[in-house]
Amino acid sequence: QAFQSPLTISDQRRVLEIMSSARNASWEDKRNTVNKDALLQLVDDAGLTSQNLPKLVEHNPLLAHECLLIILSSSDESTKNEYLSALVGMDMTLHVMEVVNRLATHNLPQQQQQQQRNTKKQRPTEPILHPEYINLFISSCIASCENIQHHGGDRYTQNRLVRLVCVFIQSLLRNKIVHVDDIYFEVQAFCIEFSRIREAAVLFKLLKSM
Protein backbone atom coordinates (compact mmCIF):
# COMPACT_ATOMS: atom_id res chain seq x y z
CA GLN A 1 0.00 0.00 0.00
CA ALA A 2 2.83 2.43 0.85
CA PHE A 3 4.11 2.14 -2.72
CA GLN A 4 0.77 3.10 -4.22
CA SER A 5 -0.55 5.95 -2.06
CA PRO A 6 0.23 7.92 1.11
CA LEU A 7 -0.45 6.04 4.34
CA THR A 8 -2.80 7.50 6.91
CA ILE A 9 -1.10 9.44 9.70
CA SER A 10 -1.82 6.67 12.23
CA ASP A 11 -0.53 3.90 9.95
CA GLN A 12 2.57 5.90 9.10
CA ARG A 13 3.28 6.61 12.76
CA ARG A 14 2.90 2.92 13.64
CA VAL A 15 5.30 1.77 10.92
CA LEU A 16 7.84 4.47 11.74
CA GLU A 17 7.81 3.54 15.43
CA ILE A 18 8.47 -0.11 14.64
CA MET A 19 11.32 0.65 12.26
CA SER A 20 12.86 3.38 14.39
CA SER A 21 12.87 1.31 17.57
CA ALA A 22 14.39 -1.67 15.76
CA ARG A 23 17.07 0.54 14.19
CA ASN A 24 17.96 2.25 17.48
CA ALA A 25 18.25 -1.11 19.23
CA SER A 26 20.62 -2.31 16.54
CA TRP A 27 22.77 0.83 16.60
CA GLU A 28 23.24 0.52 20.36
CA ASP A 29 25.26 -2.62 19.66
CA LYS A 30 26.94 -2.20 16.28
CA ARG A 31 28.73 -5.54 16.69
CA ASN A 32 25.49 -7.49 16.75
CA THR A 33 25.18 -8.83 13.21
CA VAL A 34 21.95 -10.63 14.15
CA ASN A 35 20.28 -7.28 14.78
CA LYS A 36 21.52 -5.95 11.45
CA ASP A 37 20.21 -9.01 9.63
CA ALA A 38 16.84 -8.59 11.35
CA LEU A 39 16.73 -4.95 10.30
CA LEU A 40 17.45 -5.77 6.67
CA GLN A 41 14.87 -8.54 6.81
CA LEU A 42 12.35 -5.98 8.05
CA VAL A 43 12.99 -3.86 4.95
CA ASP A 44 12.94 -6.93 2.72
CA ASP A 45 9.60 -8.07 4.16
CA ALA A 46 8.20 -4.64 3.36
CA GLY A 47 8.91 -5.36 -0.30
CA LEU A 48 11.32 -2.49 -0.88
CA THR A 49 13.75 -2.76 -3.79
CA SER A 50 15.86 -0.20 -5.59
CA GLN A 51 13.38 -0.46 -8.47
CA ASN A 52 10.31 0.55 -6.44
CA LEU A 53 12.16 3.02 -4.19
CA PRO A 54 10.97 5.99 -6.31
CA LYS A 55 7.33 5.08 -5.59
CA LEU A 56 7.93 4.93 -1.84
CA VAL A 57 9.80 8.25 -1.90
CA GLU A 58 6.99 10.01 -3.72
CA HIS A 59 4.10 8.57 -1.69
CA ASN A 60 5.71 8.20 1.75
CA PRO A 61 9.03 10.06 2.01
CA LEU A 62 9.36 9.59 5.79
CA LEU A 63 9.12 5.82 5.42
CA ALA A 64 11.59 5.93 2.54
CA HIS A 65 14.00 7.86 4.75
CA GLU A 66 13.71 5.31 7.56
CA CYS A 67 14.22 2.39 5.17
CA LEU A 68 17.24 4.03 3.59
CA LEU A 69 18.78 4.67 7.02
CA ILE A 70 18.61 0.95 7.68
CA ILE A 71 19.98 0.02 4.26
CA LEU A 72 22.82 2.55 4.31
CA SER A 73 23.90 1.63 7.83
CA SER A 74 23.59 -2.16 7.60
CA SER A 75 24.02 -3.31 3.98
CA ASP A 76 27.10 -4.14 1.95
CA GLU A 77 28.62 -1.50 -0.33
CA SER A 78 27.09 -2.97 -3.48
CA THR A 79 23.55 -2.73 -2.09
CA LYS A 80 24.17 0.78 -0.75
CA ASN A 81 25.37 1.97 -4.16
CA GLU A 82 22.37 0.37 -5.83
CA TYR A 83 19.91 2.33 -3.71
CA LEU A 84 21.92 5.55 -3.88
CA SER A 85 22.04 5.30 -7.67
CA ALA A 86 18.28 4.81 -7.75
CA LEU A 87 17.82 7.89 -5.56
CA VAL A 88 20.05 10.17 -7.62
CA GLY A 89 18.46 8.87 -10.83
CA MET A 90 14.92 9.85 -9.82
CA ASP A 91 13.06 12.81 -11.26
CA MET A 92 13.79 15.70 -8.93
CA THR A 93 10.86 16.57 -6.71
CA LEU A 94 10.32 18.07 -3.28
CA HIS A 95 10.05 14.60 -1.73
CA VAL A 96 13.32 13.38 -3.25
CA MET A 97 15.20 16.42 -1.95
CA GLU A 98 13.48 16.04 1.43
CA VAL A 99 14.71 12.45 1.75
CA VAL A 100 18.28 13.33 0.73
CA ASN A 101 18.35 16.34 3.06
CA ARG A 102 17.19 14.20 5.98
CA LEU A 103 19.81 11.56 5.22
CA ALA A 104 22.52 14.20 4.88
CA THR A 105 21.76 15.76 8.28
CA HIS A 106 20.88 12.61 10.17
CA ASN A 107 24.19 11.89 11.89
CA LEU A 108 24.91 15.43 13.10
CA PRO A 109 22.91 15.29 16.38
CA GLN A 110 24.41 11.91 17.22
CA GLN A 111 27.92 13.28 16.87
CA GLN A 112 27.07 16.21 19.13
CA GLN A 113 25.56 13.91 21.76
CA GLN A 114 28.65 11.70 21.74
CA GLN A 115 30.91 14.70 22.22
CA GLN A 116 28.83 15.91 25.16
CA ARG A 117 28.69 12.52 26.88
CA ASN A 118 32.34 11.59 26.46
CA THR A 119 35.33 13.58 27.61
CA LYS A 120 37.74 11.35 25.68
CA LYS A 121 38.60 12.35 22.14
CA GLN A 122 36.71 10.15 19.69
CA ARG A 123 36.97 9.53 15.99
CA PRO A 124 34.16 11.36 14.14
CA THR A 125 31.20 9.27 13.05
CA GLU A 126 31.15 8.51 9.35
CA PRO A 127 28.24 10.33 7.68
CA ILE A 128 25.33 8.37 6.26
CA LEU A 129 25.88 10.08 2.92
CA HIS A 130 29.41 10.76 1.72
CA PRO A 131 30.09 14.35 0.60
CA GLU A 132 30.91 13.08 -2.90
CA TYR A 133 27.42 11.65 -3.22
CA ILE A 134 25.77 14.85 -2.03
CA ASN A 135 27.79 16.84 -4.56
CA LEU A 136 26.69 14.41 -7.28
CA PHE A 137 23.08 14.82 -6.20
CA ILE A 138 23.39 18.61 -6.38
CA SER A 139 24.75 18.29 -9.92
CA SER A 140 21.79 16.07 -10.81
CA CYS A 141 19.35 18.64 -9.38
CA ILE A 142 20.94 21.42 -11.41
CA ALA A 143 20.87 19.33 -14.59
CA SER A 144 17.17 18.59 -14.02
CA CYS A 145 16.42 22.31 -13.79
CA GLU A 146 18.36 23.04 -16.96
CA ASN A 147 16.84 20.18 -18.97
CA ILE A 148 13.23 20.34 -17.86
CA GLN A 149 12.01 22.39 -20.82
CA HIS A 150 13.71 19.98 -23.22
CA HIS A 151 11.56 17.18 -21.80
CA GLY A 152 8.17 18.81 -22.23
CA GLY A 153 8.13 20.90 -19.07
CA ASP A 154 6.91 24.49 -19.06
CA ARG A 155 8.46 27.62 -17.58
CA TYR A 156 6.27 27.46 -14.47
CA THR A 157 7.40 23.89 -13.70
CA GLN A 158 11.02 24.87 -14.27
CA ASN A 159 10.78 27.91 -12.00
CA ARG A 160 9.19 25.86 -9.25
CA LEU A 161 11.96 23.24 -9.41
CA VAL A 162 14.65 25.93 -9.42
CA ARG A 163 13.15 27.41 -6.25
CA LEU A 164 13.14 24.02 -4.55
CA VAL A 165 16.73 23.32 -5.56
CA CYS A 166 17.89 26.74 -4.34
CA VAL A 167 16.29 26.25 -0.92
CA PHE A 168 17.74 22.72 -0.76
CA ILE A 169 21.29 23.92 -1.52
CA GLN A 170 20.95 26.80 0.95
CA SER A 171 20.03 24.29 3.66
CA LEU A 172 23.09 22.15 2.88
CA LEU A 173 25.39 25.17 2.95
CA ARG A 174 23.97 26.72 6.13
CA ASN A 175 24.22 23.37 7.94
CA LYS A 176 27.79 22.94 6.66
CA ILE A 177 26.93 19.61 5.07
CA VAL A 178 28.74 20.54 1.87
CA HIS A 179 31.86 22.64 1.47
CA VAL A 180 31.25 25.75 -0.57
CA ASP A 181 34.54 25.27 -2.46
CA ASP A 182 33.35 21.90 -3.78
CA ILE A 183 30.25 23.31 -5.47
CA TYR A 184 31.06 27.00 -5.85
CA PHE A 185 31.52 27.34 -9.61
CA GLU A 186 28.71 24.98 -10.58
CA VAL A 187 26.20 26.62 -8.24
CA GLN A 188 27.37 30.11 -9.21
CA ALA A 189 26.69 29.37 -12.89
CA PHE A 190 23.30 27.93 -11.93
CA CYS A 191 22.36 31.06 -9.99
CA ILE A 192 23.42 33.34 -12.84
CA GLU A 193 21.42 31.30 -15.36
CA PHE A 194 18.27 31.59 -13.23
CA SER A 195 18.94 35.03 -11.75
CA ARG A 196 15.36 36.06 -12.63
CA ILE A 197 14.17 33.86 -9.74
CA ARG A 198 14.39 35.40 -6.28
CA GLU A 199 15.59 32.23 -4.54
CA ALA A 200 18.49 31.95 -7.00
CA ALA A 201 19.52 35.53 -6.21
CA VAL A 202 19.40 34.75 -2.48
CA LEU A 203 21.52 31.64 -2.98
CA PHE A 204 24.01 33.64 -5.04
CA LYS A 205 24.42 36.16 -2.20
CA LEU A 206 24.90 33.35 0.31
CA LEU A 207 27.51 31.77 -1.94
CA LYS A 208 29.44 35.04 -2.18
CA SER A 209 29.31 35.59 1.59
CA MET A 210 30.84 32.24 2.54
Side-chain angles (χ1 to χ4, degrees):
Q1 182 182 349
F3 298 103
Q4 303 301 325
S5 62
L7 295 180
T8 63
I9 295 177
S10 59
D11 285 345
Q12 181 176 235
R13 185 183 299 115
R14 190 178 305 113
V15 175
L16 285 172
E17 286 176 354
I18 292 172
M19 299 186 74
S20 181
S21 61
R23 175 171 53 79
N24 290 336
S26 176
W27 283 13
E28 286 176 1
D29 184 1
K30 296 182 179 180
R31 296 168 297 179
N32 194 331
T33 57
V34 175
N35 282 345
K36 286 188 175 183
D37 289 342
L39 274 177
L40 292 174
Q41 187 61 49
L42 186 64
V43 173
D44 188 58
D45 289 343
L48 180 64
T49 66
S50 59
Q51 287 74 33
N52 61 23
L53 175 64
K55 293 182 179 179
L56 186 63
V57 169
E58 282 310 303
H59 293 301
N60 293 282
L62 292 179
L63 292 185
H65 166 253
E66 194 65 38
C67 288
L68 285 168
L69 277 180
I70 292 173
I71 292 168
L72 296 177
S73 62
S74 304
S75 297
D76 56 70
E77 289 300 317
S78 176
T79 302
K80 291 179 186 179
N81 290 334
E82 183 180 343
Y83 278 88
L84 288 175
S85 296
L87 194 59
V88 78
M90 291 179 60
D91 292 335
M92 291 303 151
T93 65
L94 173 61
H95 286 172
V96 178
M97 285 182 271
E98 176 187 345
V99 169
V100 172
N101 192 52
R102 284 177 176 273
L103 290 172
T105 59
H106 182 83
N107 66 319
L108 296 179
Q110 290 187 344
Q111 290 180 6
Q112 293 169 357
Q113 288 173 7
Q114 287 179 349
Q115 291 169 358
Q116 291 171 357
R117 292 174 183 173
N118 299 281
T119 56
K120 295 182 180 179
K121 188 176 181 180
Q122 292 187 348
R123 185 178 180 180
T125 304
E126 184 178 351
I128 289 290
L129 292 182
H130 293 295
E132 293 82 0
Y133 175 81
I134 300 175
N135 294 341
L136 175 63
F137 186 82
I138 290 173
S139 296
S140 183
C141 288
I142 290 174
S144 294
C145 292
E146 295 170 341
N147 297 330
I148 193 167
Q149 286 190 310
H150 300 302
H151 293 87
D154 55 25
R155 177 62 67 90
Y156 171 79
T157 303
Q158 183 183 54
N159 290 352
R160 181 175 180 274
L161 183 58
V162 169
R163 291 189 182 98
L164 291 175
V165 171
C166 287
V167 173
F168 171 66
I169 296 175
Q170 283 183 58
S171 174
L172 295 177
L173 288 171
R174 292 186 190 281
N175 288 308
K176 303 186 186 302
I177 294 168
V178 295
H179 296 292
V180 65
D181 292 342
D182 294 338
I183 62 172
Y184 184 87
F185 293 107
E186 184 177 23
V187 174
Q188 177 183 244
F190 169 73
C191 291
I192 293 173
E193 179 178 359
F194 295 102
S195 58
R196 67 179 186 276
I197 298 174
R198 185 177 65 85
E199 286 79 2
V202 172
L203 176 57
F204 185 79
K205 289 181 180 179
L206 175 63
L207 205 64
K208 291 293 186 180
S209 68
M210 300 187 79

